[in-house]
Amino acid sequence: MRVPRLIAAIGWVAGIACAGDGTGLDEFEGDGAVTLEDVQPVFSGNCALSGCHAGASPAQGMNLGAGQTFASVVNVASLELPSMNRVTPNQPDNSYLVHKVQGTHLGVGGSGSQMPLGRSPLSQGEIDLIRAWIEAGARPN
């Protein structure tokens, strides 16, 4: 685990302001693009829960548990909107997962409820971190 990057990601998600362009992504610039390792804590803490997107029978067949997320979302068609991938690298606005956590899924032809279901919506910082991972190419590590 790359602890310094994880600490930077947690600090950013918590809303700690970084010097620079105001996006809060300065910690991840250069080779330090946001990776799945940076984003996985968001999925693990909010989505990869019993009865949701984890275990042997995850909801919608999408397992967001550590070690399962990449194969379950990147370039995989959404079951609710098969014309859109769950995650399309470099294209957060064409990634159904982003629309589901933003609550904009109905506007693109999707269905169901905003995720995480039955829980508080993700913070804007958490959504921005997911978007940054996708913009950086949705890398597996």
Side-chain angles (χ1 to χ4, degrees), residues 71-133:
S72 195
V73 300
V74 176
N75 291 318
V76 175
S78 165
L79 296 182
E80 288 184 1
L81 185 61
S83 63
M84 185 177 285
N85 285 337
R86 291 172 173 164
V87 168
T88 300
N90 307 109
Q91 299 180 36
D93 292 327
N94 290 319
S95 296
Y96 194 62
L97 185 144
V98 169
H99 288 288
K100 287 294 280 192
V101 299
Q102 290 180 157
T104 56
H105 56 290
L106 300 177
V108 296
S111 61
S113 300
Q114 181 176 1
M115 293 291 128
L117 187 63
R119 299 174 57 92
S120 296
L122 298 183
S123 71
Q124 189 59 53
E126 291 167 322
I127 293 169
D128 289 345
L129 187 62
I130 294 167
R131 291 180 63 86
W133 168 60

Side-chain angles (χ1 to χ4, degrees), residues 43-59:
F43 294 139
S44 294
N46 295 285
C47 314
L49 308 170
S50 178
C52 293
H53 295 288
S57 297

